[in-house]
mmCIF file of all heavy atoms in Angstrom:
data_model
loop_
_atom_site.group_PDB
_atom_site.id
_atom_site.type_symbol
_atom_site.label_atom_id
_atom_site.label_comp_id
_atom_site.label_asym_id
_atom_site.label_seq_id
_atom_site.Cartn_x
_atom_site.Cartn_y
_atom_site.Cartn_z
ATOM 1 N N SER J 1581 -168.671 -31.897 115.022
ATOM 2 C CA SER J 1581 -167.606 -32.400 114.152
ATOM 3 C C SER J 1581 -166.488 -33.087 114.918
ATOM 4 O O SER J 1581 -165.599 -33.693 114.321
ATOM 5 C CB SER J 1581 -166.997 -31.241 113.359
ATOM 6 O OG SER J 1581 -166.248 -30.390 114.220
ATOM 7 N N TYR J 1600 -166.243 -20.525 111.483
ATOM 8 C CA TYR J 1600 -165.541 -21.129 110.357
ATOM 9 C C TYR J 1600 -166.396 -22.131 109.597
ATOM 10 O O TYR J 1600 -166.205 -22.322 108.397
ATOM 11 C CB TYR J 1600 -164.222 -21.756 110.804
ATOM 12 C CG TYR J 1600 -164.330 -22.947 111.724
ATOM 13 C CD1 TYR J 1600 -164.632 -24.223 111.238
ATOM 14 C CD2 TYR J 1600 -164.083 -22.824 113.087
ATOM 15 C CE1 TYR J 1600 -164.710 -25.316 112.069
ATOM 16 C CE2 TYR J 1600 -164.161 -23.915 113.930
ATOM 17 C CZ TYR J 1600 -164.481 -25.159 113.421
ATOM 18 O OH TYR J 1600 -164.567 -26.253 114.249
ATOM 19 N N ALA J 1601 -167.337 -22.793 110.276
ATOM 20 C CA ALA J 1601 -168.200 -23.731 109.553
ATOM 21 C C ALA J 1601 -169.099 -22.983 108.578
ATOM 22 O O ALA J 1601 -169.347 -23.452 107.459
ATOM 23 C CB ALA J 1601 -169.042 -24.545 110.537
ATOM 24 N N GLY J 1604 -166.714 -21.548 105.797
ATOM 25 C CA GLY J 1604 -166.218 -22.671 105.018
ATOM 26 C C GLY J 1604 -167.285 -23.234 104.104
ATOM 27 O O GLY J 1604 -167.022 -23.584 102.940
ATOM 28 N N THR J 1605 -168.526 -23.318 104.604
ATOM 29 C CA THR J 1605 -169.628 -23.801 103.773
ATOM 30 C C THR J 1605 -169.876 -22.846 102.617
ATOM 31 O O THR J 1605 -170.144 -23.270 101.484
ATOM 32 C CB THR J 1605 -170.906 -23.961 104.614
ATOM 33 O OG1 THR J 1605 -170.660 -24.915 105.651
ATOM 34 C CG2 THR J 1605 -172.070 -24.440 103.766
ATOM 35 N N LEU J 1607 -167.685 -21.058 101.065
ATOM 36 C CA LEU J 1607 -166.632 -21.242 100.059
ATOM 37 C C LEU J 1607 -166.796 -22.555 99.302
ATOM 38 O O LEU J 1607 -166.617 -22.598 98.080
ATOM 39 C CB LEU J 1607 -165.264 -21.166 100.735
ATOM 40 C CG LEU J 1607 -164.925 -19.808 101.369
ATOM 41 C CD1 LEU J 1607 -163.591 -19.872 102.094
ATOM 42 C CD2 LEU J 1607 -164.902 -18.700 100.329
ATOM 43 N N THR J 1608 -167.132 -23.641 100.013
ATOM 44 C CA THR J 1608 -167.340 -24.895 99.298
ATOM 45 C C THR J 1608 -168.571 -24.803 98.399
ATOM 46 O O THR J 1608 -168.577 -25.369 97.296
ATOM 47 C CB THR J 1608 -167.496 -26.079 100.272
ATOM 48 O OG1 THR J 1608 -168.572 -25.821 101.181
ATOM 49 C CG2 THR J 1608 -166.225 -26.296 101.071
ATOM 50 N N ILE J 1611 -167.547 -23.033 95.248
ATOM 51 C CA ILE J 1611 -166.835 -23.951 94.353
ATOM 52 C C ILE J 1611 -167.831 -24.830 93.606
ATOM 53 O O ILE J 1611 -167.733 -25.027 92.388
ATOM 54 C CB ILE J 1611 -165.845 -24.822 95.146
ATOM 55 C CG1 ILE J 1611 -164.715 -23.951 95.724
ATOM 56 C CG2 ILE J 1611 -165.266 -25.928 94.262
ATOM 57 C CD1 ILE J 1611 -163.844 -24.674 96.729
ATOM 58 N N ALA J 1632 -173.399 -27.876 103.455
ATOM 59 C CA ALA J 1632 -173.949 -27.951 104.799
ATOM 60 C C ALA J 1632 -172.841 -27.723 105.827
ATOM 61 O O ALA J 1632 -171.669 -27.994 105.573
ATOM 62 C CB ALA J 1632 -174.630 -29.302 105.039
ATOM 63 N N LEU J 1633 -173.241 -27.232 106.983
ATOM 64 C CA LEU J 1633 -172.280 -26.879 108.018
ATOM 65 C C LEU J 1633 -171.541 -28.099 108.561
ATOM 66 O O LEU J 1633 -170.324 -28.054 108.760
ATOM 67 C CB LEU J 1633 -173.001 -26.168 109.177
ATOM 68 C CG LEU J 1633 -173.791 -24.906 108.826
ATOM 69 C CD1 LEU J 1633 -174.461 -24.351 110.085
ATOM 70 C CD2 LEU J 1633 -172.885 -23.852 108.199
ATOM 71 N N LEU J 1634 -172.271 -29.180 108.814
ATOM 72 C CA LEU J 1634 -171.633 -30.346 109.432
ATOM 73 C C LEU J 1634 -170.554 -30.965 108.543
ATOM 74 O O LEU J 1634 -169.429 -31.193 109.023
ATOM 75 C CB LEU J 1634 -172.688 -31.386 109.827
ATOM 76 C CG LEU J 1634 -172.142 -32.654 110.490
ATOM 77 C CD1 LEU J 1634 -171.302 -32.327 111.707
ATOM 78 C CD2 LEU J 1634 -173.281 -33.597 110.863
ATOM 79 N N PRO J 1635 -170.814 -31.266 107.257
ATOM 80 C CA PRO J 1635 -169.725 -31.840 106.454
ATOM 81 C C PRO J 1635 -168.562 -30.884 106.254
ATOM 82 O O PRO J 1635 -167.412 -31.320 106.127
ATOM 83 C CB PRO J 1635 -170.401 -32.195 105.125
ATOM 84 C CG PRO J 1635 -171.647 -31.388 105.081
ATOM 85 C CD PRO J 1635 -172.085 -31.236 106.507
ATOM 86 N N THR J 1636 -168.841 -29.582 106.237
ATOM 87 C CA THR J 1636 -167.728 -28.627 106.158
ATOM 88 C C THR J 1636 -166.852 -28.728 107.395
ATOM 89 O O THR J 1636 -165.618 -28.783 107.307
ATOM 90 C CB THR J 1636 -168.259 -27.193 106.012
ATOM 91 O OG1 THR J 1636 -168.947 -27.065 104.776
ATOM 92 C CG2 THR J 1636 -167.123 -26.181 106.054
ATOM 93 N N ALA J 1637 -167.493 -28.757 108.560
ATOM 94 C CA ALA J 1637 -166.725 -28.880 109.800
ATOM 95 C C ALA J 1637 -166.001 -30.217 109.872
ATOM 96 O O ALA J 1637 -164.872 -30.308 110.366
ATOM 97 C CB ALA J 1637 -167.648 -28.697 111.002
ATOM 98 N N LEU J 1638 -166.643 -31.281 109.366
ATOM 99 C CA LEU J 1638 -165.979 -32.593 109.330
ATOM 100 C C LEU J 1638 -164.753 -32.564 108.424
ATOM 101 O O LEU J 1638 -163.728 -33.194 108.725
ATOM 102 C CB LEU J 1638 -166.957 -33.658 108.845
ATOM 103 C CG LEU J 1638 -168.118 -34.017 109.781
ATOM 104 C CD1 LEU J 1638 -169.078 -34.961 109.078
ATOM 105 C CD2 LEU J 1638 -167.602 -34.637 111.074
ATOM 106 N N MET J 1639 -164.848 -31.855 107.311
ATOM 107 C CA MET J 1639 -163.704 -31.711 106.410
ATOM 108 C C MET J 1639 -162.528 -31.080 107.153
ATOM 109 O O MET J 1639 -161.378 -31.530 107.047
ATOM 110 C CB MET J 1639 -164.091 -30.842 105.217
ATOM 111 C CG MET J 1639 -162.924 -30.428 104.321
ATOM 112 S SD MET J 1639 -163.387 -29.168 103.098
ATOM 113 C CE MET J 1639 -163.645 -27.721 104.134
ATOM 114 N N LEU J 1640 -162.818 -30.057 107.939
ATOM 115 C CA LEU J 1640 -161.757 -29.317 108.598
ATOM 116 C C LEU J 1640 -161.177 -30.077 109.789
ATOM 117 O O LEU J 1640 -160.037 -29.816 110.191
ATOM 118 C CB LEU J 1640 -162.289 -27.954 109.041
ATOM 119 C CG LEU J 1640 -162.725 -27.038 107.884
ATOM 120 C CD1 LEU J 1640 -163.479 -25.824 108.402
ATOM 121 C CD2 LEU J 1640 -161.518 -26.592 107.065
ATOM 122 N N SER J 1641 -161.944 -30.996 110.362
ATOM 123 C CA SER J 1641 -161.450 -31.758 111.510
ATOM 124 C C SER J 1641 -161.202 -33.227 111.175
ATOM 125 O O SER J 1641 -161.042 -34.059 112.074
ATOM 126 C CB SER J 1641 -162.457 -31.669 112.665
ATOM 127 O OG SER J 1641 -163.711 -32.207 112.295
ATOM 128 N N ASN J 1642 -161.151 -33.551 109.898
ATOM 129 C CA ASN J 1642 -161.056 -34.942 109.461
ATOM 130 C C ASN J 1642 -159.844 -35.667 110.039
ATOM 131 O O ASN J 1642 -159.908 -36.849 110.378
ATOM 132 C CB ASN J 1642 -161.037 -34.999 107.942
ATOM 133 C CG ASN J 1642 -161.346 -36.365 107.359
ATOM 134 O OD1 ASN J 1642 -161.298 -36.573 106.161
ATOM 135 N ND2 ASN J 1642 -161.690 -37.345 108.186
ATOM 136 N N ALA J 1643 -158.719 -34.970 110.178
ATOM 137 C CA ALA J 1643 -157.517 -35.634 110.694
ATOM 138 C C ALA J 1643 -157.735 -36.162 112.104
ATOM 139 O O ALA J 1643 -157.202 -37.221 112.467
ATOM 140 C CB ALA J 1643 -156.334 -34.667 110.669
ATOM 141 N N PHE J 1644 -158.511 -35.445 112.922
ATOM 142 C CA PHE J 1644 -158.815 -35.927 114.270
ATOM 143 C C PHE J 1644 -159.585 -37.247 114.204
ATOM 144 O O PHE J 1644 -159.359 -38.156 115.006
ATOM 145 C CB PHE J 1644 -159.656 -34.901 115.037
ATOM 146 C CG PHE J 1644 -158.959 -33.607 115.338
ATOM 147 C CD1 PHE J 1644 -159.690 -32.466 115.635
ATOM 148 C CD2 PHE J 1644 -157.585 -33.521 115.339
ATOM 149 C CE1 PHE J 1644 -159.062 -31.277 115.921
ATOM 150 C CE2 PHE J 1644 -156.931 -32.334 115.624
ATOM 151 C CZ PHE J 1644 -157.680 -31.200 115.920
ATOM 152 N N LEU J 1645 -160.520 -37.327 113.255
ATOM 153 C CA LEU J 1645 -161.342 -38.531 113.130
ATOM 154 C C LEU J 1645 -160.513 -39.709 112.622
ATOM 155 O O LEU J 1645 -160.697 -40.849 113.065
ATOM 156 C CB LEU J 1645 -162.512 -38.260 112.183
ATOM 157 C CG LEU J 1645 -163.375 -37.034 112.521
ATOM 158 C CD1 LEU J 1645 -164.477 -36.855 111.489
ATOM 159 C CD2 LEU J 1645 -163.948 -37.142 113.920
ATOM 160 N N ILE J 1646 -159.607 -39.428 111.683
ATOM 161 C CA ILE J 1646 -158.717 -40.484 111.183
ATOM 162 C C ILE J 1646 -157.830 -41.004 112.315
ATOM 163 O O ILE J 1646 -157.644 -42.215 112.489
ATOM 164 C CB ILE J 1646 -157.866 -39.946 110.021
ATOM 165 C CG1 ILE J 1646 -158.766 -39.640 108.815
ATOM 166 C CG2 ILE J 1646 -156.772 -40.936 109.651
ATOM 167 C CD1 ILE J 1646 -158.065 -38.899 107.692
#
Side-chain angles (χ1 to χ4, degrees):
S1581 70
Y1600 66 79
T1605 299
L1607 296 176
T1608 57
I1611 293 169
L1633 303 179
L1634 180 55
T1636 295
L1638 291 173
M1639 171 190 70
L1640 296 169
S1641 61
N1642 197 184
F1644 294 160
L1645 307 179
I1646 293 171

